[in-house]
Amino acid sequence: MKQASLAAGRGETFVRDLLQRDRAPSIENFLALAKIVDRPVSYLLGEEGTAFEPGLRRVEVAAHVQAGHFAESWEWEETDRYAVMVPDLPELRNLRLYAAETRGPSMNRRYAEKTVIVFNSVIEAHEEPIPGKRYVVERKRPGGEAEHTVKLLQADADGNLWLMPESEDPRFQAPISVNDGTDTEDVVTIIGRVVFAVTRE
């Protein structure tokens, strides 16, 4: 309860007070709790038809990844967000999952347009980058604008790590050194490891 309270941005006794003192939370607090537990508000209210199939987990798609597109924020407005269901794997249950929709041709050898990439935060997971895995990467300019994309992490013979694009478009085929970054003043950061990819028929 303490972890959920703090994750929701409230005092550490927030959830306990709701349960034990029969307090009625505001809509804002309901939304904060729903986001933390990856459930809609209707689920917290106990409405019928809101239970999920066993073995599945709901993840909110709240952003997009698109190489070459620099903006102040990659996150969407609340009204544009939607949810996808992924397997509820035991090894991921203690980790918060995030999701973003792919746009543009920068990863089209691997992911079709509007594939949903589900990933965990490498910081929250205390995880070192793993060669052979795909990662959501941020490339930030000195002015604050940033692009977000997905790259395959590989190691060369000397152990140096490289972010490799998987694109048929020549504009997005240059590898990026994790050790040395780019030849510009951009700052490259590995944000999360991709754990699922969800495509539409």
Side-chain angles (χ1 to χ4, degrees), residues 31 35 60-62 75-82:
L31 290 172
K35 187 173 183 178
E60 183 181 60
V61 185
E75 294 186 347
W76 296 344
E77 298 292 335
E78 291 284 346
T79 53
D80 295 327
R81 301 179 182 188
Y82 62 92

Side-chain angles (χ1 to χ4, degrees), residues 97-117:
L97 297 182
Y98 305 84
E101 189 179 273
T102 63
R103 294 181 181 175
S106 64
M107 21 201 151
N108 59 9
R109 284 183 178 172
R110 178 68 183 185
Y111 303 118
E113 180 89 8
K114 294 190 176 181
T115 296
V116 173
I117 304 299

Side-chain angles (χ1 to χ4, degrees), residues 123-139:
I123 294 178
E124 294 174 3
H126 305 289
E127 178 181 294
E128 292 295 325
I130 305 170
K133 300 294 183 180
R134 290 176 176 83
Y135 289 88
V136 174
V137 179
E138 177 185 77
R139 185 172 181 173

